[in-house]
mmCIF file with all atom_site columns, all heavy atoms in Angstrom:
data_model
loop_
_atom_site.group_PDB
_atom_site.id
_atom_site.type_symbol
_atom_site.label_atom_id
_atom_site.label_alt_id
_atom_site.label_comp_id
_atom_site.label_asym_id
_atom_site.label_entity_id
_atom_site.label_seq_id
_atom_site.pdbx_PDB_ins_code
_atom_site.Cartn_x
_atom_site.Cartn_y
_atom_site.Cartn_z
_atom_site.occupancy
_atom_site.B_iso_or_equiv
_atom_site.pdbx_formal_charge
_atom_site.auth_seq_id
_atom_site.auth_comp_id
_atom_site.auth_asym_id
_atom_site.auth_atom_id
_atom_site.pdbx_PDB_model_num
ATOM 1   N N   . THR A 1 43 ? 14.351 185.008 -102.851 1.00 96.00 ? 280 THR A N   1
ATOM 2   C CA  . THR A 1 43 ? 15.783 185.332 -102.922 1.00 96.00 ? 280 THR A CA  1
ATOM 3   C C   . THR A 1 43 ? 16.014 186.192 -104.153 1.00 96.00 ? 280 THR A C   1
ATOM 4   O O   . THR A 1 43 ? 15.323 186.042 -105.160 1.00 96.00 ? 280 THR A O   1
ATOM 5   C CB  . THR A 1 43 ? 16.689 184.085 -103.041 1.00 96.00 ? 280 THR A CB  1
ATOM 6   O OG1 . THR A 1 43 ? 16.406 183.420 -104.257 1.00 96.00 ? 280 THR A OG1 1
ATOM 7   C CG2 . THR A 1 43 ? 16.536 183.146 -101.874 1.00 96.00 ? 280 THR A CG2 1
ATOM 8   N N   . SER A 1 44 ? 16.955 187.119 -104.037 1.00 95.00 ? 281 SER A N   1
ATOM 9   C CA  . SER A 1 44 ? 17.356 187.894 -105.208 1.00 95.00 ? 281 SER A CA  1
ATOM 10  C C   . SER A 1 44 ? 18.846 188.163 -105.104 1.00 95.00 ? 281 SER A C   1
ATOM 11  O O   . SER A 1 44 ? 19.396 188.243 -104.008 1.00 95.00 ? 281 SER A O   1
ATOM 12  C CB  . SER A 1 44 ? 16.563 189.199 -105.298 1.00 95.00 ? 281 SER A CB  1
ATOM 13  O OG  . SER A 1 44 ? 16.738 189.961 -104.131 1.00 95.00 ? 281 SER A OG  1
ATOM 14  N N   . VAL A 1 45 ? 19.501 188.251 -106.248 1.00 92.00 ? 282 VAL A N   1
ATOM 15  C CA  . VAL A 1 45 ? 20.943 188.470 -106.288 1.00 92.00 ? 282 VAL A CA  1
ATOM 16  C C   . VAL A 1 45 ? 21.202 189.827 -106.922 1.00 92.00 ? 282 VAL A C   1
ATOM 17  O O   . VAL A 1 45 ? 20.648 190.145 -107.973 1.00 92.00 ? 282 VAL A O   1
ATOM 18  C CB  . VAL A 1 45 ? 21.660 187.370 -107.102 1.00 92.00 ? 282 VAL A CB  1
ATOM 19  C CG1 . VAL A 1 45 ? 23.155 187.621 -107.152 1.00 92.00 ? 282 VAL A CG1 1
ATOM 20  C CG2 . VAL A 1 45 ? 21.370 186.000 -106.515 1.00 92.00 ? 282 VAL A CG2 1
ATOM 21  N N   . SER A 1 46 ? 22.027 190.651 -106.240 1.00 89.00 ? 283 SER A N   1
ATOM 22  C CA  . SER A 1 46 ? 22.389 191.953 -106.819 1.00 89.00 ? 283 SER A CA  1
ATOM 23  C C   . SER A 1 46 ? 23.881 191.957 -107.096 1.00 89.00 ? 283 SER A C   1
ATOM 24  O O   . SER A 1 46 ? 24.682 191.515 -106.276 1.00 89.00 ? 283 SER A O   1
ATOM 25  C CB  . SER A 1 46 ? 22.017 193.073 -105.854 1.00 89.00 ? 283 SER A CB  1
ATOM 26  O OG  . SER A 1 46 ? 22.720 192.917 -104.636 1.00 89.00 ? 283 SER A OG  1
ATOM 27  N N   . LYS A 1 47 ? 24.247 192.423 -108.252 1.00 82.00 ? 284 LYS A N   1
ATOM 28  C CA  . LYS A 1 47 ? 25.660 192.545 -108.618 1.00 82.00 ? 284 LYS A CA  1
ATOM 29  C C   . LYS A 1 47 ? 26.201 193.844 -108.017 1.00 82.00 ? 284 LYS A C   1
ATOM 30  O O   . LYS A 1 47 ? 25.491 194.837 -107.948 1.00 82.00 ? 284 LYS A O   1
ATOM 31  C CB  . LYS A 1 47 ? 25.818 192.593 -110.143 1.00 82.00 ? 284 LYS A CB  1
ATOM 32  C CG  . LYS A 1 47 ? 25.205 191.402 -110.847 1.00 82.00 ? 284 LYS A CG  1
ATOM 33  C CD  . LYS A 1 47 ? 26.116 190.205 -110.806 1.00 82.00 ? 284 LYS A CD  1
ATOM 34  C CE  . LYS A 1 47 ? 25.566 189.072 -111.626 1.00 82.00 ? 284 LYS A CE  1
ATOM 35  N NZ  . LYS A 1 47 ? 25.449 187.835 -110.913 1.00 82.00 ? 284 LYS A NZ  1
ATOM 36  N N   . THR A 1 48 ? 27.454 193.822 -107.577 1.00 75.00 ? 285 THR A N   1
ATOM 37  C CA  . THR A 1 48 ? 28.060 195.031 -107.023 1.00 75.00 ? 285 THR A CA  1
ATOM 38  C C   . THR A 1 48 ? 29.152 195.529 -107.967 1.00 75.00 ? 285 THR A C   1
ATOM 39  O O   . THR A 1 48 ? 29.253 195.042 -109.087 1.00 75.00 ? 285 THR A O   1
ATOM 40  C CB  . THR A 1 48 ? 28.629 194.764 -105.615 1.00 75.00 ? 285 THR A CB  1
ATOM 41  O OG1 . THR A 1 48 ? 29.563 193.699 -105.725 1.00 75.00 ? 285 THR A OG1 1
ATOM 42  C CG2 . THR A 1 48 ? 27.542 194.374 -104.644 1.00 75.00 ? 285 THR A CG2 1
ATOM 43  N N   . GLY A 1 49 ? 29.973 196.471 -107.513 1.00 67.00 ? 286 GLY A N   1
ATOM 44  C CA  . GLY A 1 49 ? 31.029 197.059 -108.339 1.00 67.00 ? 286 GLY A CA  1
ATOM 45  C C   . GLY A 1 49 ? 31.973 196.017 -108.912 1.00 67.00 ? 286 GLY A C   1
ATOM 46  O O   . GLY A 1 49 ? 31.893 194.832 -108.580 1.00 67.00 ? 286 GLY A O   1
ATOM 47  N N   . LYS A 1 50 ? 32.931 196.445 -109.749 1.00 70.00 ? 287 LYS A N   1
ATOM 48  C CA  . LYS A 1 50 ? 33.753 195.459 -110.447 1.00 70.00 ? 287 LYS A CA  1
ATOM 49  C C   . LYS A 1 50 ? 34.653 194.638 -109.540 1.00 70.00 ? 287 LYS A C   1
ATOM 50  O O   . LYS A 1 50 ? 35.069 193.559 -109.917 1.00 70.00 ? 287 LYS A O   1
ATOM 51  C CB  . LYS A 1 50 ? 34.546 196.103 -111.589 1.00 70.00 ? 287 LYS A CB  1
ATOM 52  C CG  . LYS A 1 50 ? 35.485 197.195 -111.231 1.00 70.00 ? 287 LYS A CG  1
ATOM 53  C CD  . LYS A 1 50 ? 36.150 197.682 -112.516 1.00 70.00 ? 287 LYS A CD  1
ATOM 54  C CE  . LYS A 1 50 ? 37.038 198.880 -112.209 1.00 70.00 ? 287 LYS A CE  1
ATOM 55  N NZ  . LYS A 1 50 ? 37.659 199.416 -113.383 1.00 70.00 ? 287 LYS A NZ  1
ATOM 56  N N   . HIS A 1 51 ? 34.947 195.095 -108.313 1.00 69.00 ? 288 HIS A N   1
ATOM 57  C CA  . HIS A 1 51 ? 35.760 194.287 -107.396 1.00 69.00 ? 288 HIS A CA  1
ATOM 58  C C   . HIS A 1 51 ? 34.932 193.692 -106.256 1.00 69.00 ? 288 HIS A C   1
ATOM 59  O O   . HIS A 1 51 ? 35.469 193.009 -105.385 1.00 69.00 ? 288 HIS A O   1
ATOM 60  C CB  . HIS A 1 51 ? 36.917 195.112 -106.824 1.00 69.00 ? 288 HIS A CB  1
ATOM 61  C CG  . HIS A 1 51 ? 37.836 195.604 -107.892 1.00 69.00 ? 288 HIS A CG  1
ATOM 62  N ND1 . HIS A 1 51 ? 38.574 194.749 -108.678 1.00 69.00 ? 288 HIS A ND1 1
ATOM 63  C CD2 . HIS A 1 51 ? 38.122 196.851 -108.325 1.00 69.00 ? 288 HIS A CD2 1
ATOM 64  C CE1 . HIS A 1 51 ? 39.269 195.449 -109.547 1.00 69.00 ? 288 HIS A CE1 1
ATOM 65  N NE2 . HIS A 1 51 ? 39.017 196.737 -109.354 1.00 69.00 ? 288 HIS A NE2 1
ATOM 66  N N   . GLY A 1 52 ? 33.645 193.970 -106.245 1.00 78.00 ? 289 GLY A N   1
ATOM 67  C CA  . GLY A 1 52 ? 32.795 193.478 -105.151 1.00 78.00 ? 289 GLY A CA  1
ATOM 68  C C   . GLY A 1 52 ? 32.238 192.096 -105.429 1.00 78.00 ? 289 GLY A C   1
ATOM 69  O O   . GLY A 1 52 ? 32.466 191.522 -106.491 1.00 78.00 ? 289 GLY A O   1
ATOM 70  N N   . HIS A 1 53 ? 31.535 191.554 -104.459 1.00 81.00 ? 290 HIS A N   1
ATOM 71  C CA  . HIS A 1 53 ? 30.886 190.254 -104.606 1.00 81.00 ? 290 HIS A CA  1
ATOM 72  C C   . HIS A 1 53 ? 29.411 190.471 -104.904 1.00 81.00 ? 290 HIS A C   1
ATOM 73  O O   . HIS A 1 53 ? 28.838 191.454 -104.462 1.00 81.00 ? 290 HIS A O   1
ATOM 74  C CB  . HIS A 1 53 ? 30.999 189.438 -103.309 1.00 81.00 ? 290 HIS A CB  1
ATOM 75  C CG  . HIS A 1 53 ? 32.395 189.026 -102.975 1.00 81.00 ? 290 HIS A CG  1
ATOM 76  N ND1 . HIS A 1 53 ? 33.012 187.959 -103.591 1.00 81.00 ? 290 HIS A ND1 1
ATOM 77  C CD2 . HIS A 1 53 ? 33.294 189.511 -102.091 1.00 81.00 ? 290 HIS A CD2 1
ATOM 78  C CE1 . HIS A 1 53 ? 34.236 187.821 -103.103 1.00 81.00 ? 290 HIS A CE1 1
ATOM 79  N NE2 . HIS A 1 53 ? 34.430 188.761 -102.185 1.00 81.00 ? 290 HIS A NE2 1
ATOM 80  N N   . ALA A 1 54 ? 28.792 189.509 -105.616 1.00 90.00 ? 291 ALA A N   1
ATOM 81  C CA  . ALA A 1 54 ? 27.348 189.525 -105.769 1.00 90.00 ? 291 ALA A CA  1
ATOM 82  C C   . ALA A 1 54 ? 26.748 189.282 -104.388 1.00 90.00 ? 291 ALA A C   1
ATOM 83  O O   . ALA A 1 54 ? 27.245 188.464 -103.618 1.00 90.00 ? 291 ALA A O   1
ATOM 84  C CB  . ALA A 1 54 ? 26.909 188.446 -106.741 1.00 90.00 ? 291 ALA A CB  1
ATOM 85  N N   . LYS A 1 55 ? 25.691 190.026 -104.063 1.00 92.00 ? 292 LYS A N   1
ATOM 86  C CA  . LYS A 1 55 ? 25.037 189.876 -102.762 1.00 92.00 ? 292 LYS A CA  1
ATOM 87  C C   . LYS A 1 55 ? 23.706 189.153 -102.934 1.00 92.00 ? 292 LYS A C   1
ATOM 88  O O   . LYS A 1 55 ? 22.993 189.362 -103.919 1.00 92.00 ? 292 LYS A O   1
ATOM 89  C CB  . LYS A 1 55 ? 24.779 191.257 -102.143 1.00 92.00 ? 292 LYS A CB  1
ATOM 90  C CG  . LYS A 1 55 ? 26.046 192.039 -101.860 1.00 92.00 ? 292 LYS A CG  1
ATOM 91  C CD  . LYS A 1 55 ? 26.274 192.138 -100.378 1.00 92.00 ? 292 LYS A CD  1
ATOM 92  C CE  . LYS A 1 55 ? 27.309 193.154 -99.985  1.00 92.00 ? 292 LYS A CE  1
ATOM 93  N NZ  . LYS A 1 55 ? 28.667 192.780 -100.255 1.00 92.00 ? 292 LYS A NZ  1
ATOM 94  N N   . VAL A 1 56 ? 23.397 188.284 -101.976 1.00 94.00 ? 293 VAL A N   1
ATOM 95  C CA  . VAL A 1 56 ? 22.122 187.568 -101.990 1.00 94.00 ? 293 VAL A CA  1
ATOM 96  C C   . VAL A 1 56 ? 21.225 188.185 -100.931 1.00 94.00 ? 293 VAL A C   1
ATOM 97  O O   . VAL A 1 56 ? 21.619 188.309 -99.765  1.00 94.00 ? 293 VAL A O   1
ATOM 98  C CB  . VAL A 1 56 ? 22.314 186.060 -101.693 1.00 94.00 ? 293 VAL A CB  1
ATOM 99  C CG1 . VAL A 1 56 ? 20.976 185.339 -101.655 1.00 94.00 ? 293 VAL A CG1 1
ATOM 100 C CG2 . VAL A 1 56 ? 23.216 185.431 -102.731 1.00 94.00 ? 293 VAL A CG2 1
ATOM 101 N N   . HIS A 1 57 ? 20.027 188.590 -101.349 1.00 95.00 ? 294 HIS A N   1
ATOM 102 C CA  . HIS A 1 57 ? 19.020 189.109 -100.415 1.00 95.00 ? 294 HIS A CA  1
ATOM 103 C C   . HIS A 1 57 ? 18.006 187.994 -100.196 1.00 95.00 ? 294 HIS A C   1
ATOM 104 O O   . HIS A 1 57 ? 17.421 187.482 -101.153 1.00 95.00 ? 294 HIS A O   1
ATOM 105 C CB  . HIS A 1 57 ? 18.340 190.349 -101.016 1.00 95.00 ? 294 HIS A CB  1
ATOM 106 C CG  . HIS A 1 57 ? 17.245 190.891 -100.169 1.00 95.00 ? 294 HIS A CG  1
ATOM 107 N ND1 . HIS A 1 57 ? 15.977 191.072 -100.628 1.00 95.00 ? 294 HIS A ND1 1
ATOM 108 C CD2 . HIS A 1 57 ? 17.243 191.287 -98.871  1.00 95.00 ? 294 HIS A CD2 1
ATOM 109 C CE1 . HIS A 1 57 ? 15.225 191.558 -99.650  1.00 95.00 ? 294 HIS A CE1 1
ATOM 110 N NE2 . HIS A 1 57 ? 15.983 191.693 -98.576  1.00 95.00 ? 294 HIS A NE2 1
ATOM 111 N N   . VAL A 1 58 ? 17.819 187.586 -98.926  1.00 97.00 ? 295 VAL A N   1
ATOM 112 C CA  . VAL A 1 58 ? 16.934 186.473 -98.591  1.00 97.00 ? 295 VAL A CA  1
ATOM 113 C C   . VAL A 1 58 ? 15.791 186.979 -97.724  1.00 97.00 ? 295 VAL A C   1
ATOM 114 O O   . VAL A 1 58 ? 16.022 187.672 -96.729  1.00 97.00 ? 295 VAL A O   1
ATOM 115 C CB  . VAL A 1 58 ? 17.694 185.363 -97.816  1.00 97.00 ? 295 VAL A CB  1
ATOM 116 C CG1 . VAL A 1 58 ? 16.771 184.199 -97.498  1.00 97.00 ? 295 VAL A CG1 1
ATOM 117 C CG2 . VAL A 1 58 ? 18.895 184.890 -98.598  1.00 97.00 ? 295 VAL A CG2 1
#
Side-chain angles (χ1 to χ4, degrees):
T280 63
S281 58
V282 179
S283 61
K284 304 279 186 234
T285 57
K287 59 180 175 182
H288 299 296
H290 293 281
K292 297 250 194 286
V293 178
H294 176 236
V295 181

